[in-house]
Amino acid sequence: MAMRERTCISCRAVSAKERMYRIARTSAGEVAFDPTGKGAGRGAYVCSIRCFEDARRKGRFSSALRCKVSAEAYAVVENGLLRAISADADGCEGC
């Protein structure tokens, strides 16, 4: 089975889906961090917190998710993303 790849909406880097962080627009229209990467809804991927911040500043989430993203939604997504990045770093074997 081929490795599933995704593209960061900020830096355009292509990487394995498992190495990217997914932000999704749910069927209810809410924007949320998807820690499993398997949630239903339209998704956008970033590879780092720097790319998240850059994509937010440039309005790329609104384009990729095809909806307006509120400041509150960005704050919730950022918290989830920071927790996921911290958890990934704690389990890093090659650091």
Side-chain angles (χ1 to χ4, degrees):
M1 186 167 156
M3 184 170 37
R4 300 177 74 127
E5 294 183 330
R6 297 294 184 262
T7 303
C8 176
I9 64 170
S10 180
C11 69
R12 310 301 293 165
V14 176
S15 187
K17 180 180 176 180
E18 294 77 21
R19 302 188 86 207
M20 303 287 265
Y21 301 98
R22 183 173 189 258
I23 291 84
R25 182 194 70 201
T26 66
S27 57
E30 297 174 358
V31 175
F33 175 66
D34 179 9
T36 66
K38 299 177 183 179
R42 183 163 191 83
Y45 292 82
V46 293
C47 60
S48 67
I49 192 67
R50 180 179 293 159
C51 282
F52 169 79
E53 292 167 352
D54 187 53
R56 174 176 50 188
R57 186 172 38 82
K58 293 180 179 177
R60 296 216 173 128
F61 286 106
S62 294
S63 298
L65 299 175
R66 298 181 186 163
C67 69
K68 184 174 165 104
V69 183
S70 69
E72 294 83 17
Y74 276 127
V76 171
V77 168
E78 185 174 25
N79 280 338
L81 182 59
L82 288 170
R83 280 193 307 271
I85 290 170
S86 176
D88 287 349
D90 287 345
C92 183
E93 296 173 9
C95 296

